[in-house]
Amino acid sequence: MAAMAAMAAMAAMAANDNESERNLMDSVKPKGKCGAEAAPRPGPARLDVAQVRERLQAKKGPEFWRSLDELAATPEFEELLHREFPRHASEWTDGVSRRRFLQLASASLALAGLTGCTKQPNEPIIPYVRQPEQIIPGKPLYFATALTLGGYALGVLAESHEGRPTKIEGNPGHPASLGATDLFSQASLLTLYDPARSQTILHTGRPGTWGGFVGEMSARLRAVQALGGGLRILTGNVTSPTLTAQIQDLLRATPGARWHRWEPAGHHQSFAASVRAFGRPLETRYDFSKAKVIVNLGSDVLCEGPAGVRYARDFSEGRRVRANRPEMSRVYTVESVPSNLSTVSDHRLQLPPAQVEGFTLALAQALGAAPAGGPALTDPNIQKWIQAVVQDLQANRGASLVVADEYASPAAQVLVHAINQALGNAGNAIYYLEPLEADPVDHVRSMAELVRDMNAGQVELLLMLDGVNPVYTAPADLDFAQALQKVPLRVHHGLYEDETSEYCHWHIPAAHELESWGDARSFDGTVTLIQPLIDPLYGGKTSHEVLGALSNQPDATAYDLVRQFWSTRLPGLTAGLARAAQDTTGSGGITTTLGMGGFSGTTGGSWGPAPGAAGSNGSGSAGGDMASGAGNPPGTGGTIDTNSASATGTGTGAAGAASAATASGTAGAAGDAFEAAWRQALHAGQIPATAARRTTAAVAGGAAQQAAGEIAAALSRSRPGQITLLLRPDPTIWDGRFASNGWLQELPKPISKITWDNALMVSPKTAERLKVTFHDVVEVSAGGRKIESAVWVLPGMAEDTAVLTLGYGRKRAGSGTGQGFNAYPLRTTRSLWTVPGVQVRSLDKRYTLACTQNHHVVQGHEVDEDELANREAQRRHVVHTGTLEQFRRNPEFVREEREAPPPDLDMYPPYRYDGHAWGMAIDLNVCTGCNACVVACQSENNIPVVGKDQVLAGREMHWLRVDRYFYGDLDAPQIHNQPLPCMHCEHAPCEVVCPVAATVHSDEGLNDMVYNRCVGTRYCSNNCPYKVRRFNFLRYSDKETPVLELINNPDVTVRMRGVMEKCSYCVQRIEEAKIESKVEQKPIPPNWLQTACQQACPTRAIVFGDQNGREWEVRRWKEDPLNYGLLEELNTRPRTTYLAKLRNPNPLLEPAAEGAEHGHA
Amino acid sequence: MATLENGGLPAPLEKPYRPPIVAPGHTTASVTDKISEVVLQRTPKWWFFGFAASFSLLMVFLVSVTWLFVKGVGIWGVNWPIGWGFAIICFVWWIGIGHAGTLISAILLLLRQEWRTSINRFAEAMTLFAVACAGLYPVLHLGRPWLFYWLLPYPNTMNLWPQFRSPLIWDVFAVSTYATVSALFWYVGLVPDLATLRDRSSNRLAKVIYGFGAMGWRGSAAHWHNYETAYLLLAGLATPLVLSVHTVVSFDFAIGIVPGWHATIFPPYFVAGAIYAGFAMVLTLAIPLRHLFKLEDFITTRHLQNMGKVMLATGMIVVYGYMTELFFAWYSGNVYEMFMAWNRIFGPYRFHWYTLILCNAVVPQLLWLRRIRTSPLWLFAISMVVSVGMWLERFIIVITSLHRDFLPGSWGMYHGTIWDWGTFIGTIGLFLTLFFLFIRFLPTISIFEMRTIVPGSHGGEYTEVPR
């Protein structure tokens, strides 16, 4: 570039060579001026004084004059005025002089250099002439909305910077969230911006128009109606009242039309079980806060399902041990696949699936919930377990909980219902809700019927809504794709062009939930409103709008439709508004408020932002209102209106604001009431008093007996050595819908720590027996169907068991295309989660999987460090563990084991922290390893996705990782999670070795990273004993894809290649708080500030704050005797510390004397 | 020796016999002719082949470095947790090789070891080129190499200085000082010979160029006086540098807290290793050189044997270093140190470690045998083995210490990529290219110094009894 520019300059120079010579010659004239001035020109015009006088008198010239020349308007003066720097300026008009050449040459060099480095956008930028209401550049707004998974809503607050959503936080007022989030909702932000999303309406593969679609639909629909049937709608699990009403309206209007549903990872077996047990489908819900003894039979309800976030929170409250509260619940886990819940269990028993069910049966029999008899589990260890568990459960009748949930067979779940009923737990720790779907159906049967009808040619028009992807996800025995081709008109609506859209005549891009209006029920039935943060980026349509197109409302917006639905219903609910709001917000027991917006959160509005300023941090006060609960219930302050106005006004842009205005303008008195209620509901993100009522149900007589018989039969059929394949939704990409989401793909899966792929997990012994190992590709076949998959050997798996997660092996899924192995071909209507008796055959092929911990592939050779690493972790006291009994006997036992050097052992003078001293503590006792914190950190801090090859090279960029350790026997290990952010050491080894002072200590104890100063020697990373630093080996930040620029948090630098980065304790949030504190002239209220990981954590395992502040929770945690620093003996003085992990073992299973040995197991 | 001739009386004071350092029969004139002829003759054919080969390797370097600048250090095998890889290994390796030249020139000069005379010139050249290769690496391995100057203390508007607690800053000073002094030392030593070449070359251009280099040297007594003073002073300056440079380089590791780096044995162990590697490289270069240029008369078997002895001695010190490291690990009782030692011997890089022991500790024991010490072929082979061994030693220190440090959750593995090898082989190309240019255009052996050791030049100073 530089060379080209220079050459151009040279060429110009050459062309003008003669001319410039001539000029030079000319310049040698008596005037002695520069060559430029020397061009021949007429002599100076004579100043005619008389003429000047005349002009002055005529007053035609300016009234003030500077010289006679001006008055005379001589050509010289004109020229003087014309040129600012007359002599130099005129040089530009000449040929190339020496001076000119140098200028050109240097300018071209400089320009070439500039263009070589950065790209300046060509588009003109326009500042706000009048600032939009409520938008202050740099100040985010927060909107209450919801994100759904499997139809169930999680209430969230979406952070918006100048109209673009940048972060998802939990809604503290929402019962499913209580302020926390899961990894899916965190990552859905990336799905919103995903450039791989479908961006145009497709008609037979070519770009189509909405008008064309509406036209064809109405024509076809009339034809279908004339034929008397043939319209079919296929959706996932739908809890949205509006959508349900729309569909039902359409069904009514179209005789013979039917609504089918297919949620791949929905509640199939749990509904089947409840039908068997209670005679009708019921939603089973747990209240972990009421359970002192929990027996988990293979479920993973803490990190999955509609209520995972809430369950995790309730569960953690029962496990939080402190010096003043030395109590915790006791958790037994009997399972075939290690789960997140088992990492926080006190006892873990791994059994093959059939034996887990056998265990359930034995438990039911021992508790009198099932008739005795049948084959017994003879293993003495299992016998001992059953005895101990039964004793414990009976001692805690009414305060215990046996959980089986979806993955257990319906028979086993029936027994579990019976057990809970026998123990008096029903209505306490376990309760039942009427289905949240308006019209609950058995999804499997519904699909089967659809396929039957399609094959029979009875389906004229199939409408597949909201990303449902049956060609990929439908049970394999239905052969959906084959049947689909018999439908004359197939319409697909979804975020992505996928396997199903390929077969469809029409593909309508869906709007993301952050672009849509809508509603959905959360796990307890609370209707949660979905409001858009941004206009559809890719012109997507919501399901409401697609259905509207089929029901004579082609131009209705989703906003109109949702509002219209609630306009008749909402006023009836408003009476209960304040009460319900208090109910839902007060029950959470929130002590930590939102770390955003104004300080009003904790102070109950006493000195919060004035109403006029509320817009600036509108949802800050929104969060504050809800967080402060009863102290400032929604609906009392003037801030409410401002906030909800901001929701409608800025959220949807001008159109939304206009429609809101017209709506409120035309409505009458009833309309006003609705308007107020509507705004309040939007503000809170939920419609009050919509939670489903708990229902009572009794297990039908004979159901348990029949179930017992089934299990006994299955148990006697099972043979050792016969492999049972378990299918599960993937812990990061779920049923495949997040396959294109880089954050989730790169997120190390809990326990296995694999990224970007799934794999067939088997236990070390089973792998040995099958003669397979890591990365081997095997063929798994069952009932004539077969798939291929790579193998991963996972300690903690039961023998004769293999597990493969769903969601991979996608043929069309944006950036996730082709990753991993498709498990759906083995999933049939009869074996949704469990495929017994599969054959596993090694294929003598290899497929390299990328794992982030203790497993590496180096030039084709694999290095499996698991065993060694875990032995060393134990020797090094990485995770301090103990038992509750030990803690009760000697609360100081962790402190006594610590090896921290004396505080004065330092070469350098100590730092003084007179102001704040930021610190973090992590409670290992409640960390389930769910990964929500990791994604939250990635989202907050603009952490790039590096791709599988870079993960294989060992270069993942997560600032916060969750280390996993297996302790004890590799065939039956205990599993521990350890989240690892930067330790912000007071004696930071990284700081002293940086040659350019790019990592320095702040006066508040932060170990700051100065990206601009970093030259990238990487010595800091080498010298960091915790290895929390991450290096941009290549240019990982995507600065080329324009849409991905929108996702970045503007408060955090996007790092370039060649610089080191690491956890900053969300320093941008600290600074924001300090600025706020300065503006308000008040100290930062205790616990006001939260890091992203802390805020996302469903179990509140992470606490951050000012160690110097007396009221801050972090200080209390740090003073707790369980507190310890990682690798303290190195004298690094970590600011991040851990609370030791305690177990509460049953003395029957583990005599106390043995427990004492677990000092630092 | 022949002492009984005196009938049992004590022998007259007589130096013990040593093999000559110049073959018999040479006069000052023949020495000058022989050495300057190498430069002034027509270029031999093998030189073109050798130069072409080296130059192609240099091109490999250019390609590797260009790609490196385009993409970033991610093209190498470095990763998390192994932040340093080939670049630092090769840096230390080259810097170590660069030690022999100055040691031979300065320390042996001060110790009046005349045998150094015939090898010091090219050993110094080798030092310079090795340091040039070494000096490239710390810049290349930066994430943002274009900002390397931030490591220098220069006045800037931000009032920012380098961080002087960091050993990498000490490195900058140590290596740049060493490079400067070595270059000066080499050049000062060249001046009289450049004058000789100026006077003897028939080509006008050569005369001018050598004349510039000779800086008006006429060989007057005043010139010689100044020269001797300057040379001695520089030797005095260079001597502590030999010790300090590698000491400081060893601090790059020893200051860190990584088990396997954080050891007090590092400075002496590194210096010994450097001399070991340096002498191995001198031998690797000297043996083919004396053969190709027929300089066996000047680089005699005695030289080779002496260098073999130095290698043996320093090699033993290095082995002592290895033993001390293991002993420390055991004696400390520190879990991290003990694991580090265990991991080196039994971990995934054990074969590197075994090879290292074979190359650096076992094979050089052959040098105890006089027959091997005096055999150019054997010496050449052993030197190559030692060079490989010393490279592996740095690999072991850098990689095995980093790949499994404190937290088992953050362990990793490392292997060099094609670009790592390209850069390494490329610097060998750079080194050889420079060396080929050197042997073609400058006297490989110091002419005037050789003249001083030709028998008779010092009035009977060398009165060894011929055998």
Side-chain angles (χ1 to χ4, degrees), chain A residues 906-1114:
Chain A
D906 192 9
M907 257 173 68
Y908 299 108
Y911 291 103
R912 283 172 52 103
Y913 305 102
D914 296 326
H916 301 293
W918 304 112
M920 181 180 276
I922 298 174
D923 191 346
L924 295 176
N925 221 26
V926 295
C927 174
T928 60
C930 75
N931 274 336
C933 53
V934 180
V935 192
C937 175
Q938 187 152 25
S939 172
E940 171 76 15
N941 291 304
N942 302 338
I943 296 170
V945 172
V946 297
K948 184 182 170 185
D949 57 334
Q950 290 296 302
V951 175
L952 272 175
R955 294 167 180 172
E956 62 275 10
M957 294 297 283
H958 297 131
W959 285 5
L960 168 61
R961 66 176 194 267
V962 181
D963 278 350
R964 169 270 298 134
Y965 294 105
F966 297 111
Y967 276 15
D969 184 5
L970 268 197
D971 291 320
Q974 283 177 38
I975 306 169
H976 299 296
N977 299 307
Q978 185 170 47
L980 226 93
C982 176
M983 298 285 130
H984 291 269
C985 309
E986 297 197 13
H987 295 169
C990 51
E991 287 168 12
V992 287
V993 297
C994 174
V996 292
T999 184
V1000 286
H1001 216 69
S1002 89
D1003 58 357
E1004 296 177 348
L1006 297 183
N1007 171 239
D1008 286 336
M1009 185 67 220
V1010 190
Y1011 306 125
N1012 276 348
R1013 181 67 178 165
C1014 179
V1015 297
T1017 66
R1018 305 187 290 289
Y1019 198 171
C1020 52
S1021 173
N1022 289 345
N1023 214 31
C1024 172
Y1026 309 98
K1027 292 286 177 284
V1028 293
R1029 291 176 156 264
R1030 294 290 183 270
F1031 188 68
N1032 289 275
F1033 288 95
L1034 298 168
R1035 199 183 65 177
Y1036 293 133
S1037 297
D1038 187 348
K1039 295 177 182 172
E1040 299 292 309
T1041 315
V1043 73
L1044 288 180
E1045 285 175 17
L1046 300 178
I1047 201 172
N1048 286 331
N1049 181 352
D1051 299 329
V1052 178
T1053 314
V1054 175
R1055 282 78 59 184
M1056 71 180 300
R1057 102 173 197 217
V1059 300
M1060 192 60 78
E1061 59 185 72
K1062 64 161 193 82
C1063 159
S1064 65
Y1065 272 171
C1066 286
V1067 67
Q1068 66 279 7
R1069 294 187 175 203
I1070 298 175
E1071 291 308 311
E1072 193 192 334
K1074 282 163 69 183
I1075 291 166
E1076 193 82 26
S1077 140
K1078 221 171 200 171
V1079 172
E1080 308 266 10
Q1081 298 187 324
K1082 301 265 173 167
I1084 301 172
N1087 305 322
W1088 184 85
L1089 183 58
Q1090 283 182 299
T1091 58
C1093 50
Q1094 174 188 10
Q1095 196 165 4
C1097 181
T1099 60
R1100 304 212 310 115
I1102 303 174
V1103 69
F1104 171 79
D1106 186 354
Q1107 292 179 180
N1108 278 354
R1110 210 158 272 290
E1111 301 293 311
W1112 289 72
E1113 209 178 350
V1114 67

Side-chain angles (χ1 to χ4, degrees), chain A residues 421-645:
Chain A
Q421 208 145 50
L423 288 168
N425 296 332
N428 291 319
I430 183 167
Y431 59 93
Y432 306 103
L433 302 178
E434 293 298 339
L436 301 176
E437 280 178 281
D439 166 29
V441 294
D442 180 340
H443 288 200
V444 180
R445 187 184 298 166
S446 178
M447 261 316 250
E449 285 166 4
L450 174 62
V451 171
R452 187 196 62 208
D453 292 353
M454 288 198 295
N455 280 328
Q458 290 171 359
V459 182
E460 290 294 318
L461 166 55
L462 179 62
L463 180 63
M464 289 170 276
L465 277 182
D466 212 11
V468 63
N469 186 8
V471 170
Y472 173 69
T473 61
D477 50 345
L478 295 181
D479 204 358
F480 189 91
Q482 187 66 31
L484 182 62
Q485 289 173 51
K486 295 179 181 150
V487 179
L489 183 57
R490 316 184 275 270
V491 179
H492 179 256
H493 164 252
L495 287 172
Y496 294 93
E497 285 174 45
D498 55 24
E499 291 84 347
T500 304
S501 76
E502 217 166 14
Y503 283 89
C504 289
H505 298 100
W506 284 94
H507 166 73
I508 312 293
H512 190 267
E513 277 165 343
L514 292 167
E515 301 169 331
S516 323
W517 282 97
D519 51 11
R521 288 184 186 273
S522 60
F523 79 102
D524 67 342
T526 303
V527 175
T528 311
L529 290 174
I530 299 169
Q531 46 174 341
L533 274 277
I534 189 167
D535 261 352
L537 285 167
Y538 304 125
K541 297 283 180 189
T542 61
S543 311
H544 304 292
E545 287 162 338
V546 174
L547 280 173
L550 267 72
S551 21
N552 307 324
Q553 286 177 297
D555 299 324
T557 62
Y559 174 72
D560 296 337
L561 293 165
V562 175
R563 225 177 110 93
Q564 191 186 318
F565 176 83
W566 287 104
S567 63
T568 52
R569 293 164 178 84
L570 190 57
L573 294 165
T574 46
L577 177 69
R579 179 176 45 77
Q582 281 185 16
D583 282 354
T584 50
T585 57
S587 63
I590 298 148
T591 51
T592 309
T593 58
L594 280 173
M596 55 180 79
F599 285 171
S600 57
T602 36
T603 53
S606 61
W607 50 275
S616 66
N617 43 25
S619 51
S621 50
D625 290 340
M626 288 178 286
S628 56
N632 190 7
T636 54
T639 52
I640 295 297
D641 285 343
T642 338
N643 283 313
S644 48

Side-chain angles (χ1 to χ4, degrees), chain A residues 766-937:
Chain A
T766 306
E768 224 168 276
R769 189 165 62 73
L770 292 171
K771 298 193 178 57
V772 292
T773 183
F774 298 93
H775 313 293
D776 282 355
V777 177
V778 293
E779 184 188 84
V780 187
S781 50
R785 301 168 203 285
K786 57 189 175 189
I787 57 162
E788 284 184 13
S789 172
V791 168
W792 195 259
V793 182
L794 188 70
M797 287 289 300
E799 305 313 320
D800 299 336
T801 309
V803 66
L804 185 63
T805 60
L806 304 170
Y808 277 97
R810 298 280 309 266
K811 288 203 186 74
R812 288 185 82 175
S815 59
T817 306
Q819 287 294 340
F821 306 93
N822 188 359
Y824 280 108
L826 290 187
R827 197 176 191 226
T828 60
T829 48
R830 302 176 63 80
S831 56
L832 286 173
W833 302 115
T834 311
V835 190
V838 296
Q839 268 80 49
V840 178
R841 189 165 67 86
S842 181
L843 285 182
D844 203 25
K845 273 199 291 189
R846 280 170 70 81
Y847 178 94
T848 308
L849 298 159
C851 175
T852 60
Q853 201 187 332
N854 296 134
H855 190 92
H856 316 280
V857 184
V858 180
Q859 289 172 333
H861 299 281
E862 82 218 16
V863 181
D864 171 25
E865 291 172 334
D866 274 338
E867 199 164 349
L868 180 65
N870 296 314
R871 206 170 59 225
E872 282 298 314
Q874 247 159 304
R875 257 154 56 93
R876 297 173 184 197
H877 311 171
V878 173
V879 176
H880 265 284
T881 60
T883 61
L884 185 67
E885 187 51 38
Q886 201 178 356
F887 180 66
R888 279 185 184 142
R889 241 185 293 128
N890 176 16
E892 300 292 313
F893 83 96
V894 173
R895 212 171 263 169
E896 282 160 15
E897 283 167 4
R898 288 170 65 176
E899 293 175 57
D904 56 344
L905 190 68
D906 192 9
M907 257 173 68
Y908 299 108
Y911 291 103
R912 283 172 52 103
Y913 305 102
D914 296 326
H916 301 293
W918 304 112
M920 181 180 276
I922 298 174
D923 191 346
L924 295 176
N925 221 26
V926 295
C927 174
T928 60
C930 75
N931 274 336
C933 53
V934 180
V935 192
C937 175

